[in-house]
Amino acid sequence: MDDILQVNERLRGLIWGAPMLILLLGTGLYFTAVTGVFQVRYCALWLQKTLFSCFTGAARRTSGGVSPFAAMCTALAATVGTGNIAGVATALTLGGPGAVLWLWVSAFVGMMTAFAENTLGMLYREKGSDGSWRGGAMLYLKNGLHSPLLAGAFALFCVLASFGIGNMSQCNSIAQGLSGSFGIPSGIVSAVTAVLLGAVLLGGLKRLSRVTETLVPFMALFYMGGAVVVLWVHRANLPQAFAQICSMAFDTRAGTGGVLGYGMTQAVRAGVSRGVFSNEAGLGSSVMVHAAADAKEPCEQGMWAVFEVFFDTIVMCSVTAFVILTSGVYDVSRYALASGTPLLSQLTTGAQLTAEAFSTVFGRFGGGFVAVSLALFAFSTLLGWSYYGQRAAAYLMGERVIPVYKAAFLLAAVAGCMMRLEPVWALSDTFNGLMALPNLAGVLALRRQVIAEWCRYKHDL
């Protein structure tokens, strides 16, 4: 096992190295440029088609399938997770406050990567035998790029990642958080998690989407409400925190290793990688649920993906970052981690740092607040990734495998609550990166279809 983990660490370092970060940022920059900086220029349009449509009821309209709003909530359920609480703190410990600016850059260009991949998902989706829409990166890789090999590889990596970062690691976060803050035994946590998860899985996508429609807004408001209180108490420190973020993002001074530019390199790497860890833009995972939406316009569903990345990272991750930086608990000398620190250890330290920040206002209840938020976020990630894994498994082995997959997913959830997960975190982070490679290859190769669809939609406005 040790040999496998060592090989995996080298592979993970290679996958999430500079070439991958350049590919992720470059893909987003390309679509940002060819659409005329869509995120800014058409901000009113995509907000009107997403957030504002929730107040008119248009987003919830459906002819019996899954509404665009429900699809977005299910995708958000998968993305709004440990990355928003522990992942942001990890970016700070690895790259300093400057990492937050690069996290914003990653999200800004990632909004257009998400737009492109989900527009393609809508263009290449298919009707299932039950009349519902089914899609995913597998379909535009197979039918658009005409590469069954890449499609199969993506689906395989997705299934593996769904058991790791989408299941066992999330369950372990739930068990550790509730056990550490409230003394609840892991056995009880695993039993309750399995029962709740099983009840949702038995109802299929419609029940899953109904649950996420309620859970995602509730947990977001719950966490945001607590964060706003902390920010209000420490509001005098907001200008200083913002100045730290901007000044340290371009810090070219030598770091502890004596390498000129080390600080900026670490900030870029930590910010971009943790941004992708949080919003998943470029991985192709959210395509599976967005493509299932009962919507007609590919570009409009792509706008829901834009809003998803915006809310997950620009809003939720920024709130966590400012809570930590304004509260006074951040200390580089105390929390800086070595680059080789295992991902699980990074996130554990990150969760502790976030809990300390909330404790500056809520006292001993701060840790409990973060533990409950982490449990809600992790459970929502379980729900979203359960659907991703189902669709990827069905692509590889047919619809009949779905009941088997669900049973295995439930067993993995129970195991995740009860065991140590350092190898699972490390391996699943690698599978996430492996998902991104075929997906980004397909998105870039099919870029003309995305541009043509956007031009058609813009012309018809």
Side-chain angles (χ1 to χ4, degrees):
M1 176 59 75
D2 289 340
D3 291 339
I4 294 175
L5 291 178
Q6 288 177 4
V7 172
N8 177 72
E9 278 303 305
R10 288 195 291 270
L11 180 60
R12 184 162 72 94
L14 180 64
I15 292 172
W16 287 108
M20 171 64 85
L21 302 185
I22 292 171
L23 180 60
L24 285 165
L25 291 175
T27 302
L29 281 171
Y30 172 79
F31 286 106
T32 296
V34 297
T35 57
V37 194
F38 174 91
Q39 309 96 306
V40 177
R41 187 177 177 185
Y42 295 96
C43 180
L45 174 65
W46 60 261
L47 283 175
Q48 175 194 352
K49 296 295 183 181
T50 56
L51 179 63
F52 299 150
S53 68
C54 296
F55 301 105
T56 65
R60 298 175 183 268
R61 290 187 192 127
T62 174
S63 57
V66 177
S67 70
F69 176 73
M72 187 272 296
C73 282
T74 305
L76 263 179
T79 55
V80 176
T82 54
N84 298 90
I85 296 177
V88 175
T90 297
L92 285 169
T93 59
L94 291 175
V100 178
L101 180 63
W102 293 107
L103 185 145
W104 291 340
V105 170
S106 170
F108 182 76
V109 299
M111 289 160 72
M112 291 315 298
T113 305
F115 174 84
E117 62 189 7
N118 282 284
T119 298
L120 284 172
M122 293 288 287
L123 289 173
Y124 287 96
R125 65 181 180 171
E126 299 173 346
K127 282 273 190 179
S129 57
D130 59 355
S132 62
W133 287 109
R134 291 167 188 167
M138 308 86 68
L139 293 185
Y140 57 72
L141 288 171
K142 183 185 75 170
N143 300 327
L145 196 60
H146 304 295
S147 177
L149 180 61
L150 285 180
F154 173 88
L156 176 61
F157 297 142
C158 182
V159 170
L160 295 172
S162 74
F163 282 104
I165 210 160
N167 183 324
M168 297 177 71
S169 54
Q170 304 300 327
C171 291
N172 195 258
S173 296
I174 295 172
Q176 286 189 351
L178 295 181
S179 175
S181 296
F182 303 106
I184 303 174
S186 297
I188 294 177
V189 175
S190 67
V192 173
T193 301
V195 169
L196 293 175
L197 180 60
V200 177
L201 292 182
L202 287 174
L205 179 58
K206 288 187 179 180
R207 182 180 297 176
L208 191 154
S209 63
R210 285 197 298 269
V211 171
T212 56
E213 273 187 292
T214 303
L215 178 61
V216 169
F218 168 77
M219 70 184 193
L221 289 173
F222 176 76
Y223 182 73
M224 291 282 287
V228 167
V229 173
V230 177
L231 291 175
W232 176 256
V233 172
H234 299 300
R235 61 190 181 278
N237 297 331
L238 279 169
Q240 180 185 357
F242 190 78
Q244 279 184 305
I245 291 171
C246 293
S247 63
M248 297 184 71
F250 302 97
D251 186 0
T252 58
R253 292 172 295 177
T256 56
V259 180
L260 188 65
Y262 175 84
M264 181 175 173
T265 301
Q266 286 295 93
V268 174
R269 181 169 183 172
V272 175
S273 62
R274 290 308 96 194
V276 174
F277 176 75
S278 176
N279 60 52
E280 299 178 12
L283 298 190
S285 51
S286 68
V287 178
M288 282 172 267
V289 69
H290 279 289
D294 196 5
K296 296 180 180 179
E297 285 289 350
C299 284
E300 289 186 5
Q301 197 60 40
M303 292 177 200
W304 281 102
V306 169
F307 176 78
E308 175 196 333
V309 175
F310 169 79
F311 182 78
D312 174 84
T313 307
I314 302 296
V315 177
M316 295 290 286
C317 289
S318 298
V319 164
T320 299
F322 279 109
V323 162
I324 293 171
L325 291 174
T326 59
S327 64
V329 301
Y330 176 76
D331 181 354
V332 175
S333 64
R334 180 180 177 189
Y335 287 106
L337 300 176
S339 59
T341 305
L343 181 60
L344 180 59
S345 299
Q346 295 175 18
L347 291 175
T348 300
T349 302
Q352 292 170 351
L353 181 57
T354 306
E356 287 186 25
F358 276 89
S359 295
T360 60
V361 173
F362 296 112
R364 61 190 181 90
F365 297 106
F369 178 86
V370 171
V372 171
S373 297
L374 198 61
L376 290 172
F377 284 20
F379 185 74
S380 76
T381 300
L382 269 174
L383 298 180
W385 272 92
S386 70
Y387 183 73
Y388 298 164
Q390 286 177 51
R391 296 314 324 151
Y395 176 83
L396 290 171
M397 293 173 279
E399 298 292 326
R400 289 178 295 181
V401 78
I402 289 181
V404 178
Y405 174 87
K406 289 181 178 180
F409 198 81
L410 282 172
L411 290 174
V414 173
C417 291
M418 306 293 291
M419 61 187 287
R420 294 177 58 84
L421 287 179
E422 284 86 350
V424 175
W425 272 104
L427 290 168
S428 57
D429 200 39
T430 300
F431 293 137
N432 262 11
L434 290 172
M435 283 173 62
L437 292 174
N439 178 61
L440 290 174
V443 169
L444 288 172
L446 299 171
R447 63 191 181 279
R448 289 187 177 86
Q449 283 89 321
V450 177
I451 298 168
E453 184 60 26
W454 164 239
C455 291
R456 181 202 64 78
Y457 178 82
K458 183 171 62 170
H459 181 268
D460 293 341
L461 285 175

